[in-house]
Amino acid sequence: MPTDRSAGSAPTRRLTLRHRLAWLLRVNRLLGSRHEFTVRTKFAAAWPSGPDPRSINPSTIYRWEAGSSAIPHSAVRRYEELLELAPGRLVAAFDYELRANRPMIESAPALARDHQVEPRTLDRRLDAYLDRVCAPAVMTGCDWDDLTELLATRPAAYLPGRAWREIAQRLLAEMLVACGQAWLQRFEAVNRLLAHPAAQGELIDACAVAAADRDNQVMISTMAALGHSNHRDSISVLLRQLTNPTDDRALWGTLSALFEAATLKQLNPDQRRRATRTLREIAAAGGPLGSMADEILQALWTLTGPVAIGCAGRQYSLRGPVSLVAQRVAHAAAAALATAPETFTDDVFPQLVEELLFDPSEEARLEVSMLIAASPYRSGIAQALSSELRRGRTLTGDPERSGTLLSALRMVGGSPERSLIERIVLADGLPGPTVSVAAYAIGHFTPVPPASWWDSAISKHLADWHRSKSPTSLAALRGLAYSAGVTGSQTPLQRLKTDPTTPLAARAAATWWKNQPTYITTSAQL
């Protein structure tokens, strides 16, 4: 890897989808806790002891992990079982990567499931899920994965309209408040229903209602969910929000979704003309929203046909000088591995770290963070990112750089890193944007901060708000409401909701989170 790059350097090509998925299998086998499976023959010998009695040749494993042969869903699940990973950990990462890089939306998952049971058994399983959705009872991410896959492979399945409505509304509500693997599984489930002929109308309606709610605290995700849908009603919802957005967050999510729709050439000529008028006004105003509008206009009026969405395999140019940061983080993360075969080399991971930290596309950074989070590098890169944040003037300097590091850490960090985020939220003298990113991030770390920390954080930022009335102080309070909401921390939410000194926007945020049904917030954490 070069030791230095600038914005004027030659573009870098992202790793292909095939190589990303092959890498994920390979590193989980070679760097996981089952050290005996670093030998392919031993891994192959253990394969038939599961529910599938068929044996497997070591050469098949080699081809899967080299990216030269497609791997079926049953094999990804067997990797999870043999390597003692949480159910769905690898499958969810595969589904997300495959979905994010598909040229057109389809209901059935690209990682096709192979049901080795009778159709009658599948029907009974479907009925049981529907009972739990409508009861309502707790639903896990794996439950939603199974339910929506059963529906996706039955496009003509008949359900009462009320059942489709409850499925759509509940699934969207859970996705909006979920994190990590739980979010990945629900994101994939939402995309399946957005392409299902009987479900898509109800889900689009649910998104439209959520987008019109001014108190909605996850507006960007609400609108972005419509970006891959090719249904005419999805485009209509996006155009309504473009011309009359509920708020700035809704506009940001709308622009993100419209970029995907424009790239896929999903707007008809009349819709393109309507969108163009407003997009030109936004572009003329400049700023980040103006830049996004410019990109959408280019995609709208490019004469070529639909292109593949997603980030795998595309070229990108880095923003500003990169120096040794990506290389330093990658080396530190690799050094933190508990064990690795003596002959093990990994040329993929350093490039993934470079994409994670410096790719100009937010979607690309999210994609690669989900891959690394599903790999044995997760704890090591969390340590490395924490060290980078503590390094020199990182936290007191450019908030864009510290924000990028914090956003990456949010996706991979755990208990050891939580104390650093807590200190950032409480610190004086740091840039406001850095603190607000940390306030939103703390909800993604386990375990939940103690009550004393919540009290201190809320008191500090209420005092900062009343002293300065700065937007960043308000953003920190809203971030604390978000983090309390996703972790189910009711006491800090109650304080933000009832304290008369809380600014109106932060009070509305806390109220929205408090009003989420318990079965939604409980399920969304599973």
Side-chain angles (χ1 to χ4, degrees):
M1 179 183 295
T3 58
D4 187 75
R5 283 212 184 110
S6 66
S9 62
T12 296
R13 183 170 294 279
R14 298 184 181 98
L15 294 163
T16 65
L17 176 63
R18 181 186 65 185
H19 286 104
R20 289 167 182 259
L21 298 179
W23 170 85
L24 186 59
L25 292 178
R26 180 169 176 258
V27 297
N28 269 285
R29 180 177 65 83
L30 293 178
L31 305 178
S33 60
R34 297 294 300 272
H35 306 311
E36 68 273 24
F37 289 152
T38 59
V39 180
R40 269 197 306 272
T41 53
K42 293 184 178 180
F43 191 56
W47 194 273
S49 62
D52 185 352
R54 291 174 293 184
S55 61
I56 191 171
N57 194 293
S59 63
T60 301
I61 296 171
Y62 173 81
R63 289 194 298 273
W64 285 339
E65 296 180 1
S68 58
S69 180
I71 181 169
H73 170 263
S74 59
V76 180
R77 283 288 295 118
R78 191 64 181 136
Y79 266 78
E80 291 177 345
E81 293 164 354
L82 287 175
L83 300 176
E84 299 176 350
L85 302 175
R89 181 173 178 178
L90 296 180
V91 170
F94 265 66
D95 280 338
Y96 181 70
E97 278 289 312
L98 290 165
R99 177 71 64 179
N101 289 280
R102 296 174 87 174
M104 291 296 286
I105 190 168
E106 298 174 17
S107 187
L111 189 65
R113 276 50 169 171
D114 180 18
H115 295 293
Q116 298 180 357
V117 295
E118 295 182 356
R120 186 176 301 177
T121 301
L122 297 179
D123 290 339
R124 286 197 295 266
R125 203 158 79 205
L126 177 59
D127 288 341
Y129 283 133
L130 294 176
D131 287 342
R132 289 167 59 189
V133 169
C134 298
V138 169
M139 289 282 289
T140 69
C142 290
D143 291 338
W144 281 113
D145 173 52
D146 198 24
L147 168 58
T148 54
E149 193 275 333
L150 290 171
L151 292 172
T153 54
R154 289 164 172 74
Y158 172 77
L159 296 179
R162 176 177 173 271
W164 286 118
R165 190 173 307 113
E166 292 198 23
I167 290 171
Q169 292 174 352
R170 176 166 179 181
L171 175 57
L172 178 65
E174 288 189 22
M175 187 198 77
L176 294 180
V177 301
C179 304
Q181 180 179 317
W183 179 84
L184 280 180
Q185 291 169 315
R186 288 164 175 83
F187 173 83
E188 168 65 14
V190 163
N191 276 275
R192 292 173 190 171
L193 295 192
L194 277 173
H196 192 286
Q200 58 188 181
E202 294 292 350
L203 193 50
I204 293 168
D205 286 347
C207 289
V209 170
D213 179 7
R214 292 189 177 277
D215 293 329
N216 183 354
Q217 295 302 301
V218 277
M219 192 70 78
I220 294 176
S221 296
T222 301
M223 298 309 303
L226 298 174
H228 294 174
S229 173
N230 57 4
H231 194 281
R232 63 181 183 276
D233 290 346
S234 292
I235 305 300
S236 296
V237 173
L238 293 176
L239 292 179
R240 284 201 302 271
Q241 283 292 329
L242 178 67
T243 56
N244 187 25
T246 303
D247 57 23
D248 288 345
R249 295 169 299 138
L251 179 57
W252 188 277
T254 297
L255 292 176
S256 176
L258 272 176
F259 178 76
E260 298 294 344
T263 301
L264 294 173
K265 309 302 178 189
Q266 292 175 352
L267 280 72
N268 63 36
D270 179 62
Q271 291 169 334
R272 284 205 308 271
R273 286 191 292 270
R274 289 169 55 197
T276 296
R277 287 194 295 269
T278 305
L279 288 168
R280 283 175 175 165
E281 295 174 1
I282 297 172
L289 292 176
S291 298
M292 289 183 69
D294 270 331
E295 292 182 4
I296 298 169
L297 286 168
Q298 293 176 26
L300 276 177
W301 296 103
T302 299
L303 297 180
T304 55
V307 297
I309 59 175
C311 304
R314 293 196 189 177
Q315 289 186 342
Y316 66 98
S317 296
L318 297 174
R319 300 170 299 174
V322 173
S323 69
L324 297 172
V325 174
Q327 190 175 31
R328 186 165 60 233
V329 170
H331 285 173
L337 290 169
T339 182
E342 290 185 5
T343 58
F344 176 75
T345 58
D346 191 345
D347 296 329
V348 172
F349 182 62
Q351 185 169 340
L352 290 176
V353 173
E354 185 177 273
E355 292 182 29
L356 174 69
L357 298 180
F358 298 108
D359 195 300
S361 166
E362 185 175 351
E363 290 78 10
R365 297 197 301 273
L366 178 61
E367 276 187 43
V368 76
S369 72
M370 295 300 185
L371 272 181
I372 294 175
S375 79
Y377 285 106
R378 177 171 186 157
S379 60
I381 198 167
Q383 294 176 36
L385 290 169
S386 295
S387 297
E388 195 65 31
L389 282 164
R390 294 186 179 97
R391 186 183 181 90
R393 295 174 53 84
T394 300
L395 285 172
T396 57
D398 180 9
E400 183 176 2
R401 178 182 177 187
S402 59
T404 297
L405 293 167
L406 284 167
S407 295
L409 183 58
R410 180 188 67 181
M411 306 307 298
V412 297
S415 179
E417 293 75 41
R418 193 198 73 188
S419 61
L420 171 63
I421 308 302
E422 289 177 347
R423 291 197 298 273
I424 293 173
V425 173
L426 295 177
D428 292 318
L430 298 183
T434 299
V435 175
S436 61
V437 171
Y440 276 95
I442 192 69
H444 292 252
F445 293 81
T446 56
V448 178
S452 58
W453 181 86
W454 287 110
D455 283 340
S456 298
I458 292 173
S459 295
K460 170 185 166 47
H461 290 290
L462 281 176
D464 288 349
W465 160 255
H466 288 290
R467 182 174 58 254
S468 66
K469 296 294 191 295
S470 72
T472 52
S473 297
L474 178 58
L477 287 168
R478 293 181 68 168
L480 290 172
Y482 167 87
S483 289
V486 297
T487 57
S489 302
Q490 295 299 313
T491 301
L493 286 176
Q494 183 67 18
R495 178 180 173 185
L496 286 168
K497 177 184 176 181
T498 59
D499 190 327
T501 66
T502 302
L504 184 60
R507 191 181 308 167
T511 301
W512 186 86
W513 283 104
K514 283 282 289 180
N515 288 341
Q516 298 304 302
T518 301
Y519 69 87
I520 293 291
T521 54
T522 300
S523 296
Q525 296 182 40
L526 302 174

